[in-house]
Amino acid sequence: MFQTLYSYFWWERLWLPANLTWADLEDRDGRVYAKAADLYVTLPLAFLFLVVRHLFETYVATPLAGLLNVKEKIRLRAAPNAVLERFYGTTKHPKQADVEALARQSGCSARQVERWFRRRRNQDRPSLLKKFREASWRFTFYLLAFIAGMAVIVDKPWFYNLREVWAGYPIQSMLPSQYWYYIIELSFYWSLLFSIASDVKRKDFKEQIIHHVATIILISFSWFANYIRAGTLIMALHDSADYLLESAKMFNYAGWRNTCNNIFIVFAAVFIVTRLVILPFWIMHCTVVYPLELYPAFFGYYFFNFMMVVLQALHVFWAYLIIRMAQKFITGKVVEDERSDREETDDTEEEEEAAAKNGPLSNGHPVLNNNHRKTD
């Protein structure tokens, strides 16, 4: 049964145009072609990336955070409470009816229950140092990957003339630089997928998983089907903006607001040009239109372009978030990552400040000026 599935999976008509077989892509006359077995090494390399990341974050990112004066915000811990902790395990945001019921069960006031849940949620949020270390690692990889990617493709004819991407396809020999570029990029995305559960969780967590899976499938499939020239262009295009976003995050966590905002504007411009203009109107046009001039459409052609559409849909989603942040920048508000959970303020400090300004407490609450609106 396994042999039957294996033969169906590697059926030439799924991966290659008509009248071509895997025998046509056997190494000969000094020409080397991509092989599926080459990608096995990416899994152990992904775990090696996780080890290198740990060492980088410990011995490079952490001291760098100290130099940039990345400061943790003091978080008040929630007092131990078995009743509230048990409910917290089921939902982190109790409704008002739940708050009142929990107040009766725990012997606390409703206000104390709400404060306990705010503090407990803040405890589970990643620290500023964790965010900085993660952004530093990704910034370093994306920057080096972009430089390496440009070095791999900038002197190639298909970088300047996209029709050259398909010249002689699929009988296109693979270069050593293309081999390592693919292996390193795929290994890195495997490492991102393996670590996503422990990384900083953002509001687009599901979209991130879809992106990593789609990227891994695209890179792997383009390797199997010898779409290597198109694949190197797509990977370099994506890396061109990612390192800018991660550097903006680093400066944001360090409190360098003006630097962060300036880098973010550059990132937004690069992202929109590369992901919403160059990718759909140049690269996808190249992968959708030009191949049909050489051979009839086959399953691999449809599958590859379908995955490109999935990636493009994610780009549109993220472009929407970027534009929202750009609007905040233009209106003078601080630019923040729309995908991040915001830290919830604890009202204890607010009460103390209000008490100092307005006098003693009444029934445990500060006497507020009628013109003052207290926010949570």
Side-chain angles (χ1 to χ4, degrees):
M1 179 179 177
F2 177 79
Q3 187 62 37
T4 302
L5 292 175
Y6 182 85
S7 61
Y8 276 121
F9 183 79
W10 291 111
W11 183 37
E12 285 95 342
R13 296 290 69 79
L14 292 179
W15 304 93
L16 301 173
N19 302 323
L20 286 169
T21 67
W22 294 118
D24 296 312
L25 299 180
E26 292 290 337
D27 297 348
R28 61 173 66 89
D29 302 326
R31 299 173 68 89
V32 179
Y33 300 96
K35 303 173 187 63
D38 294 335
L39 299 188
Y40 291 152
V41 72
T42 61
L43 293 177
L45 282 179
F47 288 102
L48 180 60
F49 261 118
L50 295 178
V51 173
V52 173
R53 171 181 173 174
H54 174 73
L55 296 175
F56 176 89
E57 291 183 349
T58 302
Y59 297 106
V60 178
T62 300
L64 180 61
L67 290 175
L68 293 178
N69 202 27
V70 176
K71 293 182 179 179
E72 289 288 356
K73 184 176 181 180
I74 298 176
R75 295 176 178 177
L76 299 175
R77 299 185 64 83
N81 190 304
V83 173
L84 300 182
E85 190 68 42
R86 187 163 53 251
F87 189 90
Y88 183 82
T90 61
T91 177
K92 298 181 180 181
H93 295 272
K95 298 178 180 178
Q96 188 59 39
D98 297 325
V99 170
E100 294 172 358
L102 289 170
R104 292 191 296 270
Q105 296 173 27
S106 62
C108 302
S109 67
R111 187 179 183 82
Q112 289 172 328
V113 170
E114 292 172 345
R115 183 185 304 149
W116 187 93
F117 273 89
R118 278 197 300 274
R119 293 182 179 179
R120 187 64 182 83
R121 287 191 294 268
N122 282 338
Q123 283 178 219
D124 283 352
R125 288 188 172 89
S127 66
L128 201 61
L129 178 59
K130 178 178 174 63
K131 292 179 179 179
F132 181 87
R133 287 163 44 147
E134 181 179 312
S136 300
W137 165 248
R138 297 193 183 195
F139 162 76
T140 302
F141 176 83
Y142 289 136
L143 178 60
L144 294 177
F146 175 63
I147 294 172
M150 293 304 297
V152 168
I153 64 175
V154 73
D155 62 337
K156 305 299 186 296
W158 55 86
F159 180 72
Y160 304 96
N161 181 5
L162 291 180
R163 288 186 180 275
E164 289 292 325
V165 167
W166 306 106
Y169 178 83
I171 313 301
Q172 296 174 337
S173 183
M174 177 185 62
L175 303 174
S177 58
Q178 293 172 324
Y179 171 85
W180 286 110
Y181 188 32
Y182 257 80
I183 294 298
I184 291 173
E185 284 273 353
L186 184 56
S187 300
F188 178 75
Y189 278 103
W190 273 120
S191 73
L192 290 184
L193 190 63
F194 294 156
S195 65
I196 196 167
S198 59
D199 286 344
V200 175
K201 286 186 174 61
R202 305 184 188 277
K203 294 177 182 178
D204 63 344
F205 178 75
K206 294 179 181 178
E207 289 81 3
Q208 284 285 347
I209 294 178
I210 295 172
H211 174 268
H212 295 341
V213 172
T215 301
I216 289 171
I217 292 174
L218 262 175
I219 294 176
S220 301
F221 179 85
S222 64
W223 181 268
F224 299 155
N226 211 29
Y227 274 35
I228 293 178
R229 293 183 181 181
T232 53
L233 291 174
I234 294 167
M235 289 189 295
L237 190 71
H238 281 73
D239 290 335
S240 65
D242 289 339
Y243 72 91
L244 291 170
L245 175 61
E246 300 302 331
S247 63
K249 290 180 186 178
M250 291 169 61
F251 285 112
N252 180 46
Y253 300 145
W256 295 30
R257 301 299 184 188
N258 289 335
T259 305
C260 166
N261 292 340
N262 291 333
I263 294 176
F264 175 79
I265 291 301
V266 176
F267 157 74
V270 173
F271 184 96
I272 290 172
V273 170
T274 56
R275 310 288 178 90
L276 300 188
V277 179
I278 296 178
L279 186 65
F281 296 106
W282 271 269
I283 303 299
M284 290 183 67
H285 181 267
C286 170
T287 61
V288 172
V289 176
Y290 294 163
L292 298 181
E293 299 175 357
L294 302 174
Y295 53 81
F298 63 106
F299 173 80
Y301 165 86
Y302 291 116
F303 181 78
F304 182 85
N305 286 294
F306 169 75
M307 296 306 297
M308 289 290 291
V309 170
V310 172
L311 265 187
Q312 188 59 37
L314 291 172
H315 295 157
V316 172
F317 168 74
W318 282 316
Y320 164 72
L321 299 181
I322 290 168
I323 291 171
R324 285 182 57 180
M325 287 187 279
Q327 288 176 336
K328 290 184 178 182
F329 173 78
I330 293 171
T331 56
K333 297 180 180 179
V334 175
V335 174
E336 295 179 353
D337 191 344
E338 286 285 342
R339 303 172 301 155
S340 298
D341 254 346
R342 290 179 175 82
E343 188 92 4
E344 295 180 79
T345 57
D346 193 293
D347 58 359
T348 303
E349 295 178 1
E350 295 177 0
E351 290 175 0
E352 291 174 353
E353 293 175 2
K357 292 179 181 179
N358 299 309
L361 301 179
S362 173
N363 295 326
H365 298 278
V367 180
L368 301 178
N369 187 298
N370 289 335
N371 296 324
H372 176 70
R373 178 166 164 254
K374 186 174 180 299
T375 58
D376 184 36

